[in-house]
Amino acid sequence: MQQDSKYVIGVDLGGQTAKIGLVRSDGYIAGRRVIRTDNYGREALAFIKDLAFEIKDLLLNCGEPVIQGVGMGAPNGNYFTGCIENAPNIQWASDTSVPIAQLLSAELGGLSVTLTNDANAAAMGEMEYGAARGMKDFIVITLGTGLGSGIVCNGHLVYGHDGLAGELGHVCVKEGGRKCGCGKKGCLEAYASATGVAVTAAEMLRKSDEPSPLRQKAVITSKDVCEAAQEGDALSQRVFDYTGEILGKALANFVAFSSPEAIILFGGLTQAGELLRAPVVKAMEDNLMNIWKGKIKVLFSPLSGSDAAILGASALAWNND
Amino acid sequence: MQQDSKYVIGVDLGGQTAKIGLVRSDGYIAGRRVIRTDNYGREALAFIKDLAFEIKDLLLNCGEPVIQGVGMGAPNGNYFTGCIENAPNIQWASDTSVPIAQLLSAELGGLSVTLTNDANAAAMGEMEYGAARGMKDFIVITLGTGLGSGIVCNGHLVYGHDGLAGELGHVCVKEGGRKCGCGKKGCLEAYASATGVAVTAAEMLRKSDEPSPLRQKAVITSKDVCEAAQEGDALSQRVFDYTGEILGKALANFVAFSSPEAIILFGGLTQAGELLRAPVVKAMEDNLMNIWKGKIKVLFSPLSGSDAAILGASALAWNND
């Protein structure tokens, strides 16, 4: 045991990339790497070997500090088992259970590896460094390729009976609605995510002849929609109105569950700023019970890029000794 | 302080009645009283004085044991403030905050009075004496006049930031649906409750000429529907299919939030037995993510009548010394 080590590795593993950070005990990220997660087909082990290589190479380039462990946030990452379990957005884990903590540990010579849900990691980052400092009851919603959530009640992450709690992207918001990556229909994630925004934009473009700069794009991304909306494109703005309304109604239901002090929005979609937040807050307020109207804060994460997720994941490694 | 006292009072306060129990430390209910809650108009204090009178009279009739305190479960009962806050089903608290713990304590000569949500009290009763013994993650759904819920995560009741968490009766299940007592539309409680079952039956009777013994009733109650269904009335059975489907879909969403080991159904509607449970389980399973299919128990409370609520409420008083 290296009791004096002052560094850990935090890994934010998503549908497209894994972001690796070498994190000092004061939260300073001393080095970073990014590798893709989406070009390994069904070869989980090939990805894990590449991830281990990048971690070792990062350490080599940073003067080989002694590190205490690796904390990792990943979709459907199970804190209890160390496995990524049936994660719809990761092909090599989409219909199986990948014991990534154990396998990565083996590739790293037995170094301790702790896993949790990517959104739980973000929630830990917000609690320690971000918008939730001092809060005991809050929900973090990550709006990336998918929609994740980390729920904190009375100061503790909600893991549930099996470690898989907090799949708020997969509550049903439209009966018989859009097909979701998880196999169900009408999931919140199919609407309130980068993917959902792009689909909504494509639908709106198909349904009218209204002019929009989006019509010049061969493939529309949520970033395109965000930029067009910020430049005044009415159709793109309605995409965010629609997205925000669905998300806000869902948030009202979440409030009825755990009565949080705040809901913290995090991830790429939040770059839309008030274009997204305003319809979210309106729809949430319209659907809250009277006891909560005007009382629930809807905040954007103040942490830049994926720092919250890397820092949150790294906090797992600090806590694990 | 009476360190040797072996009794507490548990009060289960609902939309129609308040059930009072004198509870011994081993869970034996040594004496009971019931008073109405629905004939006081807006006079909260008149009700509280009558409640105090009944408690004192019950104690007098039971040989005046020394009691340690009063634990009370009530709709929108706030553990943090001791107030019943805007409880839609109680006229004298429907649009105000009634500091019932403080007022009842004053009427009882300063005796300690602790309040919580009625469904939280039921959850504590289930954890201590009922279907949730040994469980750390479960949800109790109370199906009475309204629909209440008590949520336990990692062995602790979820109170939320303000003490009001667990209002699962007021998640929206039908956009623009039935008007709910809370002022919103389409709440789960407007469908999955004794009131909701009666409304569904009336709607189904209006929409067809199908024969049903329910047509002979001037006013239809959920008990009538339950009895007719159990005697083979097809229309009444469809009322439970419809109710169970809506409830089961909602339960699937709740599982995505807290991933409980079990969901425990409690209250009058559970007398319908498998007529209710079968469609609930089917709809829940059809709407669960793959990771949870076949893994979430749906149980009926084994506790008779309102014992779970009285015992759960009484547990508050034991814990409060």
Side-chain angles (χ1 to χ4, degrees), chain A:
Chain A
M1 277 296 271
Q2 300 291 340
Q3 294 296 340
D4 295 320
S5 59
K6 295 284 196 302
Y7 289 88
V8 292
I9 293 285
V11 180
D12 168 29
L13 197 159
Q16 295 171 342
T17 61
K19 290 162 189 147
I20 305 161
L22 173 64
V23 181
R24 209 165 58 189
S25 53
D26 60 358
Y28 172 70
I29 300 179
R32 295 168 191 266
R33 287 292 167 91
V34 179
I35 66 169
R36 299 200 69 86
T37 53
D38 59 358
N39 53 2
Y40 290 87
R42 303 189 59 75
E43 301 301 321
L45 196 56
F47 166 74
I48 291 165
K49 282 179 186 290
D50 282 0
L51 177 61
F53 175 85
E54 288 294 330
I55 290 172
K56 285 187 276 195
D57 197 57
L58 172 62
L59 292 173
L60 198 64
N61 274 271
C62 291
E64 302 212 62
V66 174
I67 65 168
Q68 195 159 336
V70 178
M72 188 186 308
N76 288 16
N78 188 324
Y79 177 75
F80 294 162
T81 65
C83 296
I84 298 180
E85 297 177 359
N86 303 293
N89 295 323
I90 300 177
Q91 202 183 346
W92 43 264
S94 62
D95 59 358
T96 185
S97 177
V98 175
I100 192 166
Q102 186 193 334
L103 293 172
L104 183 62
S105 176
E107 293 292 328
L108 294 172
L111 194 67
S112 158
V113 178
T114 311
L115 177 72
T116 193
N117 189 301
D118 52 347
N120 284 344
M124 291 179 73
E126 292 300 333
M127 189 154 53
E128 198 138 352
Y129 305 101
R133 271 175 295 186
M135 292 187 190
K136 296 184 80 177
D137 297 272
F138 64 96
I139 299 175
V140 170
I141 303 282
T142 64
L143 299 165
T145 310
L147 185 152
S149 55
I151 303 161
V152 173
C153 291
N154 202 25
H156 298 284
L157 270 168
V158 173
Y159 280 116
H161 178 53
D162 53 8
L164 299 175
E167 285 291 344
L168 298 184
H170 302 282
V171 300
C172 181
V173 295
K174 294 263 180 202
E175 283 210 33
R178 286 181 194 164
K179 182 95 176 169
C180 179
C182 76
K184 299 202 304 160
K185 280 187 174 177
C187 288
L188 178 59
E189 169 169 300
Y191 299 87
S193 65
T195 319
V197 162
V199 172
T200 299
E203 281 182 5
M204 285 193 181
L205 288 168
R206 261 202 313 277
K207 282 183 190 160
S208 82
D209 290 328
E210 186 177 340
S212 165
L214 296 179
R215 293 193 189 276
Q216 289 144 30
K217 306 274 180 185
V219 177
I220 296 167
T221 66
S222 64
K223 194 156 168 281
D224 297 329
V225 184
C226 180
E227 284 168 4
Q230 282 166 339
E231 284 162 18
D233 178 46
L235 186 141
S236 296
Q237 289 170 354
R238 286 206 309 281
V239 172
F240 281 102
D241 288 346
Y242 180 79
T243 307
E245 187 184 345
I246 289 176
L247 179 56
K249 283 180 180 171
L251 296 188
N253 287 342
F254 303 158
V255 170
F257 199 103
S258 69
S259 192
E261 178 175 356
I263 294 171
I264 297 157
L265 304 180
F266 174 81
L269 272 195
T270 61
Q271 286 168 8
E274 283 304 306
L275 284 169
L276 178 68
R277 210 185 76 96
V280 164
V281 170
K282 180 176 188 313
M284 183 186 81
E285 289 290 338
D286 286 351
N287 288 277
L288 281 176
M289 291 181 78
N290 289 334
I291 48 173
W292 287 306
K293 280 186 196 294
K295 294 183 185 163
I296 314 296
K297 299 169 199 156
V298 177
L299 307 172
F300 285 143
S301 167
L303 298 174
S304 67
S306 67
D307 284 5
I310 288 176
L311 292 170
S314 76
L316 278 174
W318 293 119
N319 290 335
N320 198 42
D321 71 326

Side-chain angles (χ1 to χ4, degrees), chain B residues 208-286:
Chain B
S208 83
D209 291 330
E210 185 179 341
S212 164
L214 295 179
R215 294 193 188 277
Q216 289 144 33
K217 306 275 181 184
V219 177
I220 296 167
T221 66
S222 63
K223 194 156 170 280
D224 296 331
V225 185
C226 181
E227 285 169 3
Q230 282 166 338
E231 284 162 17
D233 178 45
L235 186 142
S236 297
Q237 289 170 354
R238 286 207 308 282
V239 171
F240 281 101
D241 288 345
Y242 179 80
T243 307
E245 187 184 343
I246 289 176
L247 179 55
K249 283 180 181 172
L251 296 188
N253 286 343
F254 304 159
V255 170
F257 199 103
S258 70
S259 190
E261 178 175 357
I263 294 171
I264 297 157
L265 304 179
F266 174 81
L269 271 196
T270 62
Q271 286 168 9
E274 284 304 305
L275 284 168
L276 178 68
R277 210 185 76 96
V280 164
V281 170
K282 181 176 187 315
M284 184 186 81
E285 289 289 338
D286 286 350

